[in-house]
């Protein structure tokens, strides 16, 4: 593909109008709040403001894993509807000036602290609970850190790159789809080779590195992301598929995937989570209603 | 812009040929080594394999800051020429299976460990030297982690997104340039608001969060990245400019920018670094030759 329309960028870029595609109405070239809106606050020390996207799911899985393991990590999870622009409310911007989910308000210490960026929240919660879900051997820590940051630097090519141009852009263009499909397949191959002779990403145990990578790359090989399973031939990454299925079997992962989720099967959606019993009640209610 | 050529993605993506633009010849949809090549190893505990891109510069600045502060962080910095595909040599892939610079081999402990991803290397080196260049007050740690991970998740939109379509793609297309220019300006505005009432990114001191953000976003407001200073109106982000200039004045930053740098002014390039005296010698040699 070449675009026969010649285009010369202006000397200075200006924002003229939404340029089409999903999320066009919420994307802006400026930061800050668009409207005054306080955030709700529940009774638990941890207040999570999120939506059940891959980045959001990392954190709800972490909370559910901590609870499953017996830590006192009770949390209130509030739904931030991205398509409605909730992330531009003044209260949310105070917690995350970058206006992205997930964002955490931690009131468990002497004074409340904010944490944003999904992997920062994973690290923060892990440290809060005695380095829970980190590698046991300190010699494995560099490997865990490497893969944790690898996920943060790589997923924008899967989400903001491939996902955008394959699923959300106003029309299909070959060049960017080729560019990002190639990169996503390379990333999947990196993981596939790495997982050829080990069960977990770092060390010999399930860690926050697995939790960070699973929602994006596990979700892709499970065929959930962008309905691109066939296009990307995800089944060929056999080691990633086995690892993804192993993680999917964890009860905490199944619960974590339901929290703040909107769209799809109503029985899979727990819009807000304030107690462990919310999973049963909510699901039962939904089944009865459905 | 709309592309009048209809494009329907195939059912299964296949790699047909390099799709044009800079780096087209080195981008691949598979991971792993393309050729056998051992890495050189010097006399110091730390062996850095890198090139002087923004991601590479983060780490050479960290080493120079550690040395400037009196830590025993002597290192050998070896040049990995990305355009020549050095990152696909077997030795490099052993250190970083993701085939990206920078990559570190740390031989200072009981057994050698690898670390990859620039921010993971910053964190690793900081921890190695008693949490050097981290916030002093533990209450500020969540803020530092948030911004450190913010950088890793945001810069792909600046580099792999905006930079690619504005500077490297085989032709200019309006839609991706608009998309990524909008996002980069939003990110710069996030930083500008954050720096309005503080000198450093987190806490009240210069940390690894500043070191991670400066090469990409400082480099952008200094007008170095992609010659896009006018296009992005970078001077309007006054707080970011002041912060970037403050960091640029640091001697360790000036040295760090020279290491593994290729292209541009020869006096600014120290292709390999093995001792503190290399800066003087190299620069003098270059000046004499130039």
């Amino acid at each position: 593909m070449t675009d026969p329309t010649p285009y010369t960028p202006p000397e200075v870029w200006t924002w003229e109008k939404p340029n089409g595609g999903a999320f066009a109405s919420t994307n802006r070239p400026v930061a800050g709040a668009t409207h005054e809106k306080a955030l709700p606050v529940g009774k638990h020390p941890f207040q999570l403001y999120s939506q059940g996207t891959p980045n959001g799911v990392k954190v709800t899985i972490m909370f559910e894993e901590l609870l499953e393991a017996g830590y006192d990590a009770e949390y209130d999870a509030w739904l931030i509807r991205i398509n409605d622009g909730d992330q531009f409310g003044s209260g949310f911007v105070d917690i995350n000036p970058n206006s992205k989910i997930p964002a955490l308000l931690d009131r468990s210490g002497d004074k409340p602290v904010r944490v944003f960026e999904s992997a920062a929240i994973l690290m923060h919660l892990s440290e809060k609970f005695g380095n829970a879900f980190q590698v046991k051997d300190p010699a494995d820590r560099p490997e865990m850190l490497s893969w944790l940051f690898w996920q943060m630097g790589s997923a924008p090519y899967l989400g903001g790159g491939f996902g955008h141009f394959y699923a959300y852009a106003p029309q299909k263009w070959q060049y960017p789809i080729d560019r990002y499909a190639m990169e996503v397949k390379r990333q999947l191959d990196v993981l596939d080779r790495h997982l050829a002779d080990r069960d977990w990403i770092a060390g010999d145990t399930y860690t926050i590195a697995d939790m960070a990578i699973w929602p994006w790359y596990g979700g892709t090989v499970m065929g959930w992301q962008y309905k691109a399973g066939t296009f990307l031939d995800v089944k060929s990454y056999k080691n990633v598929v086995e690892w993804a299925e192993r993680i999917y079997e964890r009860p905490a992962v199944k619960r974590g995937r339901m929290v703040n989720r909107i769209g799809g099967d109503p029985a899979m959606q727990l819009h807000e989570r304030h107690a462990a019993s919310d999973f049963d009640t909510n699901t039962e209610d939904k089944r009865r209603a459905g």
Side-chain angles (χ1 to χ4, degrees), chain A residues 208-225:
Chain A
I208 52 175
D210 297 277
M211 280 185 227
I213 295 172
W214 185 82
W216 281 109
Y217 295 92
T220 297
V221 297
M222 302 290 271
W224 300 332
Q225 290 297 117

Side-chain angles (χ1 to χ4, degrees), chain A residues 86-98:
Chain A
D86 289 352
Q87 68 275 31
F88 301 114
S90 55
F92 188 89
V93 172
D94 284 345
I95 307 292
N96 183 0
N98 194 44

Side-chain angles (χ1 to χ4, degrees), chain A residues 55-56 58-59 101-102 116-123 151-152:
Chain A
N55 286 329
K58 293 177 198 169
V59 176
I101 62 92
F116 55 93
E117 291 292 327
S118 53
I121 297 174
L122 294 183
M123 182 70 87
Q151 188 281 316
M152 292 297 279

Side-chain angles (χ1 to χ4, degrees), chain A residues 5-269:
Chain A
T5 313
Y7 169 65
T8 304
E11 192 183 346
V12 181
W13 185 84
T14 54
W15 189 30
E16 296 192 355
K17 56 182 169 63
N19 62 359
F23 309 113
S25 61
T26 53
N27 286 339
R28 301 183 305 149
V30 291
T34 58
H35 58 284
E36 286 296 315
K37 190 174 180 188
L39 290 173
V41 177
K43 65 183 178 185
H44 297 304
F46 298 104
Q47 301 295 309
L48 178 66
Y49 304 97
S50 192
Q51 186 182 311
T53 69
N55 286 329
V57 159
K58 293 177 198 169
V59 176
T60 49
I61 286 176
M62 178 64 166
F63 272 118
E64 294 298 329
E65 292 284 7
L66 287 166
L67 290 166
E68 184 90 14
Y71 294 100
D72 183 19
E74 276 295 340
Y75 68 110
D76 291 283
W78 304 94
L79 178 60
I80 297 296
R81 291 180 184 266
I82 299 173
N83 280 344
D84 294 350
D86 289 352
Q87 68 275 31
F88 301 114
S90 55
F92 188 89
V93 172
D94 284 345
I95 307 292
N96 183 0
N98 194 44
S99 285
K100 305 276 183 189
I101 62 92
L104 178 72
L105 180 66
D106 176 355
R107 305 182 304 163
S108 69
D110 292 341
K111 55 180 180 180
V113 292
R114 71 183 189 184
V115 199
F116 55 93
E117 291 292 327
S118 53
I121 297 174
L122 294 183
M123 182 70 87
H124 174 77
L125 290 173
S126 169
E127 293 179 357
K128 200 93 198 179
F129 295 101
N131 291 336
F133 298 104
Q134 292 202 33
V135 289
K136 306 303 175 201
D137 184 346
D140 291 328
R141 180 170 172 82
E143 190 76 6
M144 185 192 74
L145 289 177
S146 297
W147 289 103
L148 187 64
F149 282 102
W150 174 87
Q151 188 281 316
M152 292 297 279
S154 298
Y157 291 88
L158 170 51
F162 176 75
H164 180 80
F165 285 101
Y166 187 74
Y168 299 139
Q171 68 179 88
K172 305 260 186 278
W173 292 291
Q174 185 171 358
Y175 179 86
I177 289 175
D178 279 348
R179 166 175 167 74
Y180 291 112
M182 181 185 311
E183 172 63 4
V184 168
K185 285 180 73 70
R186 189 192 67 79
Q187 294 175 355
L188 287 168
D189 196 32
V190 167
L191 284 177
D192 201 57
R193 290 162 189 254
H194 181 64
L195 290 165
D197 55 3
R198 51 176 68 80
D199 286 346
W200 309 110
I201 293 291
D204 52 6
T205 186
Y206 170 71
T207 69
I208 52 175
D210 297 277
M211 280 185 227
I213 295 172
W214 185 82
W216 281 109
Y217 295 92
T220 297
V221 297
M222 302 290 271
W224 300 332
Q225 290 297 117
Y226 318 117
K227 298 175 183 164
T230 302
F231 186 66
L232 297 173
D233 190 21
V234 295
K235 294 301 173 205
S236 64
Y237 305 101
K238 292 185 184 2
N239 304 313
V240 187
V241 170
E242 284 177 22
W243 164 85
E245 289 174 345
R246 193 154 55 237
I247 292 175
Y248 182 54
E249 289 309 308
R250 299 176 70 90
V253 170
K254 290 198 198 301
R255 288 199 304 277
R257 283 195 74 222
M258 292 174 60
V259 179
N260 297 148
R261 185 188 185 91
I262 52 177
D265 180 2
M268 281 295 294
Q269 301 174 37

